[in-house]
């Protein structure tokens, strides 16, 4: 299967809605450092690897620092606490962060291929359908996009999360538990999924295709967004440029990402060529994105997963025209 060292080194494909021009924002006094949290995935990893953001901000005297996270929940905790200024995550983590009163805002979007998430079982497992998960031990990171996929996948079989034995495990811990046979199934996203599906010990029970949409978001610390909206505008614009260039040169992008992450090129190619994958689809927070996120917030509140009713629009950053 996949070991802890491999999973800690992984990097996945980030994708999004079609890139839109970002509005110019009235400039304020620039920060000395832009602190970015990243999960080693897609366009942000490429920007880190080629120094695009460092080059963009060099003339403005802004340094860029990077902090790595294994999943969205801890990244957003750091963001809300002001330990970092900007970072990416899936759809569910911002709901928990907002419910907890985190000081953060939605700043941009990107969309990945639904088939980039999957529920894995052991090759020799008797589990053959989602319905067979009833009463079984299923691992996913609580508050992550895998949580959302698990909820929706179970619903297709008339089940709820309460019908399984849920294990709240980070990707590295879940990978180790899966290998050791301590869990029956594992809900996970690329590139962990792309690595695992190439292993003879694992079998794909279901993917997210036809089950769940794949919205992801860039978020910013609320105080940083209020004071330095011009910096956010430049960050999103640069990521869109990096993504479009990478998408136009996939072979080279595969090689670059493999070098950055240590993940083999054949696995990177799987991630970047899944149906619907497009690194250049970085966008602002559109009405469609807000509507999707609000529906998800309402659903998770009704299921008593999120502890309070949320109004997503309350924490959406909108670039101001100069």
């Amino acid at each position: 299967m996949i070991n802890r060292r491999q999973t800690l080194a992984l990097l996945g494909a980030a994708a999004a809605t079609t890139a839109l021009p970002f509005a110019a924002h009235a400039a304020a006094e620039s920060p000395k450092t832009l602190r970015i949290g990243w999960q080693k995935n897609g366009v942000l990893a490429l920007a880190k690897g080629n120094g695009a953001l460092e080059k963009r901000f060099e003339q403005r005297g802004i340094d860029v620092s990077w902090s790595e996270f294994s999943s969205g929940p801890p990244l957003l905790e750091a963001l809300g606490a002001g330990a970092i200024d900007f970072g990416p995550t899936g759809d569910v983590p911002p709901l928990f962060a907002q419910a907890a009163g985190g000081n953060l805002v939605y700043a941009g979007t990107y969309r990945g291929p639904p088939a980039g998430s999957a529920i894995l079982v052991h090759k020799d497992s008797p589990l053959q359908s989602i319905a067979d998960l009833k009463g079984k031990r299923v691992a996913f990171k609580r508050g992550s996009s895998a949580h959302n996929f698990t909820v929706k996948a179970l619903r297709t079989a008339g089940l709820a999360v309460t019908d399984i034995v849920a294990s709240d495990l980070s990707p590295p811990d879940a990978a180790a538990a899966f290998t050791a046979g301590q869990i029956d199934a594992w809900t996970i996203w690329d590139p962990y999924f792309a690595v695992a599906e190439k292993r003879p010990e694992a079998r794909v029970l279901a993917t997210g295709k036809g089950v769940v949409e794949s919205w992801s978001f860039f978020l910013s610390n609320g105080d940083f967004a209020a004071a330095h909206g011009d910096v956010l505008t430049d960050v999103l614009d640069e990521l869109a440029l990096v993504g479009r260039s990478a998408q136009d040169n996939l072979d080279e992008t595969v090689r670059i990402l493999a070098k950055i992450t240590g993940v083999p090129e054949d696995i990177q190619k799987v991630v970047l060529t899944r149906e619907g994958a497009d690194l250049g689809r970085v966008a602002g927070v559109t009405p469609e994105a807000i509507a999707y996120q609000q529906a998800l917030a309402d659903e998770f509140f009704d299921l008593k997963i999120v502890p309070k009713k949320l109004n997503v629009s309350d924490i959406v950053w909108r670039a101001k025209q100069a």
Side-chain angles (χ1 to χ4, degrees), residues 22 26 191 277 320:
F22 297 101
K320 297 178 182 177

Side-chain angles (χ1 to χ4, degrees), residues 10-310:
L10 291 177
L11 183 152
T17 56
T18 303
L20 299 176
F22 297 101
H25 195 286
E29 183 179 352
S30 296
K32 293 182 178 180
T33 303
L34 170 62
R35 303 167 300 170
I36 298 177
W38 68 306
Q39 297 186 54
K40 282 189 173 178
N41 56 359
V43 68
L44 198 56
L46 286 168
K48 182 180 186 298
N50 65 19
L53 293 174
E54 284 83 353
K55 295 171 188 174
R56 179 95 177 209
F57 291 113
E58 182 178 9
Q59 292 185 344
R60 294 181 58 179
I62 301 174
D63 294 328
V64 180
S65 66
W66 300 82
S67 299
E68 181 185 336
F69 295 83
S70 64
S71 62
L75 186 153
L76 293 189
E77 183 177 354
L79 194 72
I84 57 175
D85 305 313
F86 180 86
T89 181
D91 50 10
V92 175
L95 305 183
F96 284 86
Q98 183 180 4
N103 181 17
L104 44 75
V105 293
Y106 293 93
T109 65
Y110 60 105
R111 295 182 75 172
S117 294
I119 298 176
L120 304 176
V121 296
H122 299 277
K123 183 177 181 180
D124 59 356
S125 169
L127 305 178
Q128 298 296 323
S129 69
I130 296 297
D132 294 336
L133 293 176
K134 186 173 183 178
K136 302 302 181 182
R137 297 164 296 174
V138 182
F140 55 87
K141 179 59 187 172
R142 185 177 185 274
S144 73
S145 60
H147 194 163
N148 183 29
F149 176 33
T150 302
V151 168
K152 288 181 168 57
L154 290 171
R155 185 178 297 154
T156 65
L159 300 176
V161 174
T162 52
D163 291 314
I164 63 172
V165 180
S167 296
D168 179 12
L169 297 175
S170 67
D173 291 337
F178 189 92
T179 300
Q182 297 170 348
I183 55 177
D184 301 300
W186 177 24
T187 308
I188 192 58
W189 57 86
D190 273 334
Y192 304 99
F193 168 34
V195 171
E197 69 178 331
K198 284 186 171 291
R199 298 282 185 169
E201 304 87 22
R203 172 165 53 85
V204 176
L205 185 68
T207 73
K209 185 176 180 179
V211 178
V212 67
E213 296 185 59
S214 188
W215 282 93
S216 294
F217 298 89
F218 294 109
L219 289 99
S220 173
N221 172 267
D223 292 339
F224 183 89
H228 306 296
D230 59 315
V231 175
L232 287 185
T233 295
D234 281 353
V235 170
L236 293 168
D237 182 66
E238 189 62 38
L239 292 181
L241 293 173
V242 170
R244 287 196 295 269
S245 176
Q247 194 64 32
D248 289 339
N249 301 278
L250 274 184
D251 288 343
E252 180 64 18
T253 299
V254 166
R255 288 191 288 271
I256 291 172
L257 287 179
K259 183 177 181 180
I260 292 171
T261 65
V263 177
E265 290 186 16
D266 60 332
I267 293 174
Q268 292 290 358
K269 189 170 184 178
V270 168
V271 172
L272 295 179
T273 57
R274 291 201 193 276
E275 181 182 350
D278 186 344
L279 290 168
R281 297 169 65 192
V282 177
V285 185
T286 63
E288 182 186 7
I290 296 172
Y292 168 84
Q293 199 69 349
Q294 186 62 56
L296 183 60
D298 293 342
E299 176 187 18
F300 270 45
F301 174 71
D302 291 341
L303 292 172
K304 303 186 186 306
I305 298 173
V306 172
K308 62 188 292 186
K309 192 77 171 176
L310 301 175

